[in-house]
Amino acid sequence: MADKPATVTINLDGVDIEVAAGQPLIEAAQKAGTYIPRFCYHSRLEPAGVCRACLVEVEGPRGTALVPSCTTPVGDGMVVHTKSETVEKAQAGVLEFLLANHPLDCPVCDKGGECPLQDQAYAFGAGESRYVEEKRHFEKPIEISDLILLDRERCILCSRCTRFSEDISGDPLIEFKDRGNYVQVITFPDEPFASYFSGNTVQICPVGALTAKPYRFKARPWDLEAVESVSLVDTIHSKVSVQASQNEIIRIYGVDNDATNHGWLSDKDRFVHDHIYAEDRITTPLVKEDGDFREATWAEAIGLVSERLGSFDGGRIAGIGGARSTNEDAYAFSKFLRSVVGTPHLDAQVGDGLDAKFAAAVTPRAEIGDLETAKTILLWGPDLKEELPVLYLRVRRAATHLGAKLVIVHPRRTGLDGVAAHTITYKPGTGPDLLRKLAAGDGDYAPVRETLAEGPVVALVGRAGLGEDPDLAEAVAAFALELPDAKIMPLLRRGNVFGALDMGVAPTLLPGRVDVDDASGRAALEAEWGSLPDGPGLDATGILTGLAEGELSALVLNGADPVRDHPTPTTARAGLDAAEFVVAFEMFMSDSAAYADVIFPVAGLGEVEGTATNIEGRVQKINRIVPPAGTARPVWSIFDDLAAAMGTEFGAASAEAVGAEITRVAPAYAGAAWDRLSWGEGRDGFVLPTADGSQPLEYTPVDRNVPIVSGHRILHTARVLYDDGVIVRHSSGIAGLAATAAAHLHPRDASVLALAEGDLITITVDGEATLPVVIDPSLVEGTVYVPFNLAATAGLGAVGTLRIDAVRGGDA
Amino acid sequence: MSWFADLLGPWRGFTVTWRQMFKPKLTTRYPKEKRVKPQRFHGRHTLNRYPDGMEKCIGCELCASVCPARCIYVRGADNPPDDPVSPGERFGFVYEINMLRCIFCGMCVEACPTEAITMTHLFEMSVSDRQEGIFTKDVLLVEPDGTPNHPLPDTPLIDIKELRLGDGWLRATAPSGRAEFEGVEAWSPSARMGGLAPAEPAQKDRNATDETGQPEEGTDD
């Protein structure tokens, strides 16, 4: 490898060019400005050479030969003709073959207008076909999943979808069948194409063979207006193109970038957008009167909230949320609560996350791109496929294509187990014990320890389940930091939670990753904001408990739903119930918003402009394409008005003005100005702190003494991609895909309890839920796994003693 | 003679009148009588149906995209399989032409792949309300039996025979999405522009005239 020159010189159509060695000819030609037609070639997939559209002539010792340029690597001294008569004829001939059976129903095809087959038939085809014969027919379209429709007549057998599913997503649910004239792409019998990544195949299909049901016949490509934005579904912040027609967002496509998503999206990113058009979206301010909500004007609602909030002592008010929207919104939230209301109690997490300082400022922090060069990846945290699906793709790629060794520690099987070098399952609560054994490398753990000794190491650490102690993640990070060349990536999943923490929506942080106890940082902020409340405040659990115990009186819920998201729902309910005054910033009547006295309707996906900070600290621009529904407004402007009503003028005229204030006030954000993020290299954002920014807080995790929780049986509850969260529930495309709730039991536990698969049991932890039993041998004995926050498990908590009762007279 | 000229004066003044009185009349008794329009007259549009009553429009929006006045609004929808509105997977769910904006250029007719939209000789489109100027599918679509949606279906301004002539080629290529349509001709030369491509020269002739300067095939080392 080492003797291979970094660049080679090829002669492309008579011009000598220097290109990077090792890349396919088609790629090198494209970078040099010569487009070679292609259908099967995709820069993020392994070349297959099946469509033959990219034939070019290469001179060799035995004369020139037509070779597929996607499977031919560039070689030194290669002489290539891409426009010779022979090449043109060959390419036109291939197109004629591809069109022999293609139905040409372009006017009804969703791809018509943006179809590579149309475009390339125009550019490289003969213009005429000599085929007058009957075309091949298949039944069409067939539903291969709840989201995807397959039209085999249109398929040109490029294998992009099958290669994506097998190589990239690891869900090989779609394959070729039959031979000769009857080769067809199809799913396996009785097994739908139920992949979390199925939408990507629609995007990369070069014809209209795979189409998405939510977009089907909604618009034609030339109707669409698009803006580049990022997806706030999870903390990866995948680059997306949000596309709207007639002022309605109807499609989201992935945008290829090296930094985050490589162009891929999860189906949740892709199909979540229609929640903003849900029937029951809140579009006017609501005020509770005699237990019922009534519509109110903005002036009335703002007047009421400012009056009520003003009537309490500042320290008796708290705020939860801010992770659902932009940095600008979170900043306004933080500024309002800290400087106008005067409370230190605010938290962007809902008791289900990590320590704020650890998540926001761990050093050294890994970037997603570090996965490309890592030799070893330690994943001790959530099942990435369920919680951070795009990161799952990147980790999977590192493990399958880039030779990284993956070590997974999780209470049960995860989506990445198949590509991992080592998987360790453990009983939740025994994590600290396992960590000690792993660090020591005793016995069975010796080979794992040996793998971990090879750097560079990227450690992905988070909470494996909601019942897990958040300090365990820090202990794991502290252990990982002793590994060679180690970098840490804290795993949180909720939207813009990293941005919210960076904006000081945390009990221990001020905007720009400043420790709340940092005297110089406080002084600098007080110069901008006026006086600040002292010391660290309460976190979400503390706030909810404080409300229940009467230490706090009022709560501002900024897009948070603690009733459904907090690990102990009874705490959340008790807190909200006891609160004297609750104001919610919401799009929907969530379980928590129902407790509110005033609800402000807020703008959502595609309706707001701003910036967002992802899991690696990359700040990117979010753009708006449609106006907010009804009278809904962006969060920052509501806080602006509230502050003015309470006697402090923020004076922010636009989200951009708030953004400019952030770059001035928040130290780590210096240099992350909007105009820098909109053009050129800044389009993929910057990882903070940028070169001209500074990182005031450098947090190194320490191994805290995490108690081992032992119990006869322990509940492991973790999130799944499609849960019963308020956004998914209102997204018509994916709402129906919510996982079926079941209680997963180890076979031995099931036999001890005399339970068989399908029996109904009642599980009691904090709340209770009655669920069918699923036997799951991937669990450790004594662990019961239940997916968190599904409709059937909504009342169930994550922390507390577990009781299992078999339901008599169930349908078992 | 001047008195004679003076006597004839008024009569001479009527010369033109008298002459025209015996020529054939150009005016018609509109609206009782309507002049026959030139055959390719660009009048009001209709949305046509196939002889079996199916709508020809498939909601492809090509007319809307080609319209220079941007006066057409189309939205497609999934064809209900049990009661399809048009052959194929999609039908024109919304079809509106803003006649106040239309410049009657006929580009929509040219763009239509199924000959769903054509132009009649109808020209009376006065409306008493601007909203009525937006012609919806109710107004434009012909009756299920193929007669135009017009108070006087027998008007000479609509050539019903011509309306029924066109049978869009796309119908054959999108056989209601069913495999049973196997055997229906899928592609007809009528859809192509120009004739068939000229026959290829045989391989041996091609090699003989190969003057690209590249090595002849079969050159051995």
Side-chain angles (χ1 to χ4, degrees):
Chain A
M1 286 287 176
D3 56 340
K4 210 173 183 181
T7 61
V8 292
T9 306
I10 63 170
N11 182 296
L12 187 72
D13 296 326
V15 182
D16 281 329
I17 53 167
E18 205 171 309
V19 297
Q23 60 180 335
L25 194 48
I26 194 170
E27 196 78 47
Q30 185 170 0
K31 281 175 194 153
T34 303
Y35 183 85
I36 300 170
R38 82 283 303 263
F39 295 104
C40 71
Y41 179 74
H42 187 280
S43 58
R44 297 288 180 192
L45 300 174
E46 293 290 311
V50 293
C51 75
R52 318 310 283 181
C54 66
L55 292 175
V56 294
E57 270 188 310
V58 173
E59 287 180 17
R62 293 200 292 164
T64 56
L66 283 168
V67 297
S69 56
C70 66
T71 52
T72 310
V74 288
D76 207 17
M78 205 177 228
V79 180
V80 187
H81 302 281
T82 67
K83 296 191 173 81
S84 70
E85 204 181 316
T86 318
V87 169
E88 276 174 10
K89 187 167 183 300
Q91 290 176 348
V94 167
L95 275 159
E96 196 175 345
F97 276 137
L98 291 177
L99 288 166
N101 271 320
H102 191 78
L104 296 181
D105 56 351
C106 309
V108 282
C109 176
D110 269 343
K111 205 83 177 186
E114 56 178 6
C115 174
L117 183 58
Q118 275 185 335
D119 296 347
Q120 295 180 118
Y122 254 124
F124 301 97
E128 298 288 338
S129 174
R130 283 163 288 185
Y131 290 102
V132 292
E133 290 82 5
E134 173 65 19
K135 297 198 182 214
R136 182 187 54 185
H137 287 290
F138 288 115
E139 193 188 331
K140 72 180 211 177
I142 52 173
E143 283 181 23
I144 55 171
S145 79
D146 290 323
L147 291 167
I148 310 293
L149 296 164
L150 169 67
D151 183 326
R152 289 163 292 174
E153 292 185 354
R154 292 179 191 152
C155 178
I156 57 164
L157 308 170
C158 72
S159 81
R160 275 187 183 185
C161 54
T162 58
R163 280 179 291 148
F164 171 81
S165 302
E166 200 169 325
D167 297 345
I168 306 289
S169 75
D171 296 325
L173 297 168
I174 184 164
E175 220 7 295
F176 284 125
K177 185 185 116 173
D178 282 344
R179 289 286 178 272
N181 193 34
Y182 286 91
V183 183
Q184 52 185 290
V185 154
I186 195 74
T187 48
F188 295 93
D190 304 323
E191 216 178 320
F193 185 36
S195 165
Y196 285 164
F197 307 97
S198 59
N200 293 305
T201 61
V202 174
Q203 187 174 341
I204 61 175
C205 182
V207 292
L210 291 163
T211 50
K213 235 193 254 180
Y215 174 69
R216 183 171 162 85
F217 303 155
K218 282 269 177 69
R220 316 256 26 226
W222 55 82
D223 293 336
L224 301 172
E225 288 173 69
V227 290
E228 222 168 70
S229 191
V230 299
S231 170
L232 288 186
V233 162
D234 59 33
T235 51
I236 304 304
H237 293 186
S238 305
K239 195 104 189 156
V240 293
S241 159
V242 183
Q243 306 183 354
S245 165
Q246 305 280 336
N247 256 343
E248 188 179 332
I249 296 174
I250 48 179
R251 184 168 78 170
I252 291 180
Y253 257 25
V255 175
D256 199 327
N257 70 349
D258 282 327
T260 54
N261 56 325
H262 282 184
W264 312 127
L265 296 179
S266 73
D267 286 357
K268 192 171 170 184
D269 290 315
R270 192 179 295 272
F271 299 119
V272 79
H273 53 84
D274 53 2
H275 70 266
I276 62 171
Y277 302 111
E279 289 269 306
D280 51 348
R281 172 148 179 212
I282 300 171
T283 53
T284 47
L286 300 176
V287 171
K288 199 180 258 174
E289 224 170 48
D290 307 327
D292 282 321
F293 285 105
R294 65 163 174 86
E295 294 188 355
T297 61
W298 275 96
E300 186 193 349
I302 283 182
L304 181 64
V305 171
S306 59
E307 186 190 316
R308 291 299 306 274
L309 289 183
S311 71
F312 299 108
D313 180 29
R316 293 185 64 81
I317 299 172
I320 299 180
R324 209 184 269 169
S325 194
T326 61
N327 289 349
E328 283 70 16
D329 291 348
Y331 176 82
F333 181 43
S334 174
K335 186 176 177 183
F336 175 76
L337 280 189
R338 285 191 198 276
S339 75
V340 179
V341 171
T343 176
H345 312 306
L346 65 168
D347 197 350
Q349 308 186 69
V350 196
D352 56 349
L354 300 169
D355 177 72
K357 282 193 220 171
F358 171 58
V362 64
T363 342
R365 189 167 176 175
E367 294 178 20
I368 297 174
D370 289 329
L371 294 167
E372 304 274 308
T373 49
K375 279 268 186 296
T376 309
I377 299 169
L378 169 65
L379 168 59
W380 188 324
D383 183 353
L384 291 187
K385 198 172 185 178
E386 300 288 351
E387 301 206 359
L388 296 162
V390 177
L391 188 63
Y392 157 88
L393 294 181
R394 295 295 302 261
V395 173
R396 193 175 186 282
R397 171 180 146 82
T400 56
H401 289 72
L402 306 172
K405 286 198 174 130
L406 179 59
V407 177
I408 301 175
V409 188
H410 190 79
R412 65 190 287 265
R413 65 162 181 266
T414 71
L416 282 165
D417 282 2
V419 297
H422 302 281
T423 55
I424 302 170
T425 51
Y426 68 104
K427 192 171 161 181
T430 63
D433 185 39
L434 172 67
L435 179 62
R436 210 176 54 243
K437 285 184 194 157
L438 188 62
D442 299 337
D444 289 350
Y445 298 109
V448 184
R449 190 70 185 76
E450 209 170 289
T451 305
L452 290 173
E454 197 182 353
V457 177
V458 172
L460 309 165
V461 271
R463 276 166 86 163
L466 279 104
E468 204 81 75
D469 192 325
D471 286 346
L472 177 64
E474 273 196 73
V476 173
F479 158 68
L481 281 178
E482 295 164 14
L483 301 172
D485 273 338
K487 287 185 177 175
I488 309 292
M489 179 178 283
L491 300 177
L492 292 176
R493 60 169 275 286
R494 186 174 292 116
N496 190 26
V497 64
F498 287 98
L501 294 177
D502 281 357
M503 290 303 114
V505 189
T508 52
L509 289 173
L510 296 176
R513 301 179 186 164
V514 176
D515 193 317
V516 81
D517 293 325
D518 175 356
S520 67
R522 277 183 80 90
L525 191 62
E526 277 179 340
E528 293 277 350
W529 279 12
S531 69
L532 293 171
D534 284 334
L538 298 167
D539 66 358
T541 308
I543 291 168
L544 292 166
T545 324
L547 285 166
E549 289 168 359
E551 286 161 23
L552 299 174
S553 307
L555 179 65
V556 182
L557 277 178
N558 182 3
D561 187 1
V563 171
R564 297 301 284 273
D565 286 335
H566 196 273
T568 49
T570 47
T571 311
R573 283 185 190 279
L576 287 166
D577 217 19
E580 284 173 53
F581 183 69
V582 178
V583 51
F585 292 69
E586 256 298 355
M587 294 172 77
F588 300 105
M589 189 59 76
S590 66
D591 290 15
S592 305
Y595 286 91
D597 296 284
V598 178
I599 301 179
F600 289 121
V602 296
L605 187 153
E607 299 173 343
V608 290
E609 223 179 346
T611 55
T613 309
N614 82 349
I615 195 163
E616 49 180 348
R618 178 180 298 277
V619 56
Q620 296 181 92
K621 183 85 195 324
I622 290 177
N623 287 309
R624 121 188 182 143
I625 187 160
V626 293
T631 65
R633 289 169 54 180
V635 173
W636 67 265
S637 79
I638 305 173
F639 281 117
D640 210 50
D641 279 6
L642 279 177
M646 292 175 76
T648 312
E649 288 285 346
F650 282 174
S654 64
E656 188 162 11
V658 181
E661 190 177 323
I662 293 173
T663 58
R664 199 177 68 236
V665 173
Y669 279 69
W674 275 29
D675 49 358
R676 257 189 95 189
L677 296 170
S678 302
W679 305 104
E681 49 161 1
R683 266 177 63 199
D684 287 348
F686 297 105
V687 175
L688 297 172
T690 52
D692 45 356
S694 68
Q695 172 86 330
L697 176 63
E698 298 204 338
Y699 183 83
T700 314
V702 288
D703 191 353
R704 309 214 179 147
N705 188 19
V706 186
I708 297 174
V709 183
S710 55
H712 183 46
R713 291 203 180 83
I714 281 210
L715 182 72
H716 166 56
T717 176
R719 290 176 190 278
V720 287
L721 188 66
Y722 305 127
D723 59 6
D724 195 42
V726 73
I727 300 285
V728 176
R729 205 190 312 153
H730 287 92
S731 304
S732 59
I734 53 175
L737 303 177
T740 39
H744 297 239
L745 262 67
H746 188 269
R748 273 201 290 276
D749 286 322
S751 68
V752 167
L753 295 163
L755 292 167
E757 184 129 352
D759 286 356
L760 284 180
I761 55 171
T762 299
I763 294 209
T764 315
V765 174
D766 199 51
E768 61 170 45
T770 301
L771 302 165
V773 170
V774 167
I775 307 291
D776 186 349
S778 75
L779 290 163
V780 175
E781 196 178 347
T783 316
V784 179
Y785 165 69
V786 173
F788 189 69
N789 196 18
L790 296 175
T793 64
L796 204 62
V799 185
T801 45
L802 169 70
R803 215 180 78 204
I804 302 174
D805 300 299
V807 176
R808 301 292 163 217
D811 56 333
Chain B
M1 289 291 280
S2 69
W3 63 270
F4 188 67
D6 289 349
L7 196 67
L8 273 180
W11 294 100
R12 186 179 285 161
F14 280 107
T15 320
V16 174
T17 313
W18 282 108
R19 200 164 59 226
Q20 290 301 324
M21 216 179 274
F22 298 103
K23 280 190 175 174
K25 276 175 282 185
L26 282 175
T27 50
T28 51
R29 287 157 62 81
Y30 180 83
K32 284 185 178 159
E33 280 173 28
K34 282 165 191 169
R35 252 218 318 248
V36 175
K37 303 291 177 206
Q39 196 187 0
R40 291 295 160 229
F41 181 78
H42 285 189
R44 203 203 82 180
H45 313 73
T46 54
L47 282 175
N48 304 317
R49 292 178 190 265
Y50 289 107
D52 60 3
M54 288 255 207
E55 289 176 17
K56 286 184 179 175
C57 179
I58 51 168
C60 73
E61 301 186 23
L62 284 171
C63 47
S65 77
V66 81
C67 179
R70 309 287 299 266
C71 68
I72 308 183
Y73 174 61
V74 188
R75 274 292 180 263
D78 224 324
N79 229 340
D82 44 346
D83 185 21
V85 181
S86 72
E89 295 168 46
R90 181 176 55 198
F91 74 105
F93 174 62
V94 176
Y95 198 104
E96 292 175 358
I97 302 180
N98 186 345
M99 287 297 177
L100 300 169
R101 269 203 212 173
C102 179
I103 58 168
F104 299 93
C105 64
M107 302 265 264
C108 47
V109 179
E110 277 188 58
C112 184
T114 61
E115 292 166 25
I117 185 159
T118 54
M119 285 174 141
T120 63
H121 291 182
L122 294 170
F123 59 91
E124 294 148 312
M125 286 171 279
S126 58
V127 288
S128 50
D129 178 342
R130 295 189 73 81
Q131 192 59 38
E132 288 171 33
I134 298 168
F135 283 29
T136 58
K137 215 171 140 181
D138 296 342
V139 182
L140 295 168
L141 190 64
V142 299
E143 302 292 342
D145 62 359
T147 51
N149 183 357
H150 191 267
L152 299 167
D154 293 331
T155 175
L157 298 175
I158 301 172
D159 188 345
I160 296 174
K161 249 199 276 176
E162 195 190 7
L163 279 189
R164 289 174 182 170
L165 261 182
D167 205 9
W169 61 271
L170 196 91
R171 181 183 169 84
T173 65
S176 294
R178 291 278 164 262
E180 301 93 87
F181 278 70
E182 198 151 2
V184 177
E185 191 184 339
W187 205 96
S188 71
S190 68
R192 68 174 64 230
M193 291 170 50
L196 287 167
E200 290 237 321
Q203 189 81 27
K204 59 176 167 50
D205 302 334
R206 204 163 57 86
N207 279 345
T209 58
D210 190 1
E211 283 171 8
T212 53
Q214 288 161 11
E216 289 270 318
E217 274 177 66
T219 310
D220 287 322
D221 293 342

